[in-house]
């Protein structure tokens, strides 16, 4: 039997993966703008989910609060700037 790959909540078992299988079907997704393809975030069960607003059916990234804080702090400091 073929396994469905269309679920946005399915997580793969990775070594050290300590995040729950969150139900994102009713998540309140937020975006910084109204454009297509925006990065969207949702706060679900104490975690932060991030997805591509232009492809909401694609898998979402799940962050713990500590991981999210580190990401935001480093982004503000320019760590991910490509220039």
């Amino acid at each position: 039997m073929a396994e469905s790959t269309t679920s946005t909540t399915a997580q793969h078992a990775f070594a050290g993966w300590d995040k729950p299988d969150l139900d994102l079907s009713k998540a309140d997704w937020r975006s910084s703008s109204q454009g297509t393809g925006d990065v969207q975030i949702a706060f679900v069960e104490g975690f932060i989910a991030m997805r591509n607003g232009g492809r909401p059916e694609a898998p979402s990234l799940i962050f713990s609060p500590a991981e999210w804080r580190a990401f935001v702090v480093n982004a503000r400091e320019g760590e991910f700037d490509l220039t």
Side-chain angles (χ1 to χ4, degrees):
M1 181 162 34
E3 188 175 332
S4 173
T5 58
T6 60
S7 173
T8 60
T9 61
Q11 301 294 329
H12 300 283
F14 293 110
W17 186 259
D18 58 351
K19 301 196 176 64
D21 186 16
L22 299 175
D23 179 5
L24 302 176
S25 64
K26 295 179 183 170
D28 181 20
W29 293 100
R30 300 171 187 209
S31 177
S32 62
S33 69
Q34 300 288 325
T36 305
D38 289 340
V39 171
Q40 298 176 325
I41 62 167
F43 299 93
V44 180
E45 298 178 32
F47 289 87
I48 298 87
M50 179 191 293
R51 74 177 184 182
N52 178 344
R55 293 191 56 221
E57 72 282 358
S60 298
L61 298 173
I62 307 298
F63 295 89
S64 70
E67 291 168 330
W68 183 252
R69 177 168 168 62
F71 171 75
V72 170
V73 167
N74 289 324
R76 285 181 181 156
E77 292 176 355
E79 182 173 326
F80 309 115
D81 290 350
L82 299 176
T83 57

